Amino acid sequence: MQGVLTGFAVIAVVIGVGYVIGRRGHLGDNGREVLTKLAFHVASPALLFTTLAQADLSVIFSSRLLVTAMSTAAAAGVFVAVGVVRRWGVGRTTIGALCSSYVNSGNLGIPIAVYVLGDASLVAPVLLFQQIMVTPIALTVLDLTGGGERRPLWQRLITPLRNPIAVGSLGGVAVSATGLTVPGPILDPLQLIGGMSVPAVLLAFGISLCGSSMPGRGFDRYPVLLSVALKAVGQPLAAWALAVGVFGLHGAPLLDVVVTSALPAAQNLFTYASRYQVGETLARESILLSTILAVPVLVVVAAVLG
């Protein structure tokens, strides 16, 4: 239980600092935008590169990753289906699908993995899957469906290679797969820059809460409530059913996949929504509500399966 409470306390404090900064106007009118661009274009790519460059790619072939992939697809698929029927738009539906299935495996998943599961590396399959598969696909969709001038086909095909998040992730995987060692003079500055990613995202999120209405009551009410229900309840239940019914997991492996699936929506989803100027309210409110609900959900999961 300590890991759950510690992880959420750290996030709450940093978001609270961002809120105070926003209320007092210390960073000016464009503070949130600057932090968002810093995280998206510089800090997050550096963090993902240094993390994945030193990761063990053998986790890709584990049954736990298959459970993660299938439960993620199930939650996202339900939101996409509803979004198509309700005509919420491609960009908004993409952000909502991410909020329904993309877990906070970094700044919250790591401390919870350490204190609840006893091994920080257990979040690696989730991190790898999300950064190698989910993020490039989702950002490519947002790139291709965003406004602006229509580009030639060849430029559209290389869209993933133009996105800094995707480039950082794929570059890290390439280094790990080839067994190369990044020299210290290169790795150390990248790690230092990457260390800005999580604080920048959380501070920008806190600033965005200034002047915001009560979540789940505005124009995006139904998409928000659906994404939160899928993230907090639907995805963990899907992971449990798949782990037990399909892969026959029990004990510690079962606890691992259900706990990681029950993590709330990641704060960097708000960065993506802000970067593409679509679904920002949906992302902000979904992240906030799913983070609040994740506390009792994770406590119950740890008590029942632990």
Side-chain angles (χ1 to χ4, degrees):
M1 304 302 176
Q2 180 184 0
V4 175
L5 299 179
T6 299
F8 280 103
V10 171
I11 285 180
V13 169
V14 181
I15 291 176
V17 171
Y19 180 81
V20 172
I21 290 174
R23 290 282 295 180
R24 294 182 175 273
H26 290 315
L27 298 183
D29 296 335
N30 299 320
R32 193 199 77 181
E33 181 181 357
V34 171
L35 287 172
T36 297
K37 289 183 176 180
L38 172 67
F40 186 87
H41 291 284
V42 182
S44 293
L47 174 64
L48 294 172
F49 175 83
T50 56
T51 300
L52 296 176
Q54 303 174 78
D56 180 7
L57 298 185
S58 64
V59 297
I60 292 178
F61 303 102
S62 66
S63 59
R64 297 178 186 181
L65 181 64
L66 292 176
V67 173
T68 296
M70 294 172 70
S71 61
T72 297
V78 170
F79 191 95
V80 169
V82 175
V84 170
V85 173
R86 298 296 298 269
R87 299 182 180 180
W88 286 337
V90 176
R92 196 155 156 245
T93 299
T94 300
I95 294 297
L98 287 174
C99 291
S100 303
S101 59
Y102 195 108
V103 305
N104 189 337
S105 59
N107 50 314
L108 181 57
I110 291 175
I112 286 181
V114 171
Y115 290 108
V116 178
L117 305 178
D119 185 357
S121 67
L122 293 175
V123 299
V126 184
L127 177 65
L128 288 170
F129 171 69
Q130 291 186 158
Q131 297 304 332
I132 295 173
M133 296 293 295
V134 179
T135 297
I137 292 173
L139 296 188
T140 297
V141 171
L142 293 174
D143 274 325
L144 297 179
T145 59
E149 182 180 356
R150 304 287 289 183
R151 292 173 293 170
L153 177 61
W154 69 269
Q155 289 187 359
R156 288 169 163 248
L157 293 177
I158 64 171
T159 291
L161 301 180
R162 298 159 58 93
N163 187 287
I165 299 289
V167 170
S169 300
L170 296 175
V173 171
V175 170
S176 179
T178 56
L180 297 175
T181 299
V182 182
I186 297 177
L187 183 63
D188 292 346
L190 287 175
Q191 289 178 327
L192 186 62
I193 294 172
M196 295 188 294
S197 176
V198 172
V201 169
L202 295 177
L203 290 174
F205 184 77
I207 294 173
S208 75
L209 295 178
C210 296
S212 299
S213 59
M214 185 68 66
R217 295 186 178 182
F219 173 75
D220 285 317
R221 176 184 179 183
Y222 294 111
V224 167
L225 295 179
L226 175 60
S227 68
V228 171
L230 289 170
K231 180 77 256 347
V233 181
Q235 189 175 11
L237 282 177
W240 173 81
L242 289 165
V244 173
V246 178
F247 296 95
L249 299 182
H250 56 83
L254 176 61
L255 176 64
D256 297 345
V257 296
V258 176
V259 165
T260 52
S261 295
L263 293 170
Q267 271 79 19
N268 60 325
L269 298 180
F270 177 74
T271 301
Y272 302 158
S274 299
R275 168 64 180 80
Y276 293 96
Q277 298 182 343
V278 61
E280 294 181 64
T281 301
L282 169 58
R284 179 177 62 245
E285 295 186 359
S286 295
I287 293 167
L288 179 61
L289 289 177
S290 68
T291 301
I292 293 172
L293 288 177
V295 177
V297 170
L298 284 169
V299 168
V300 170
V301 168
V304 173
L305 300 179

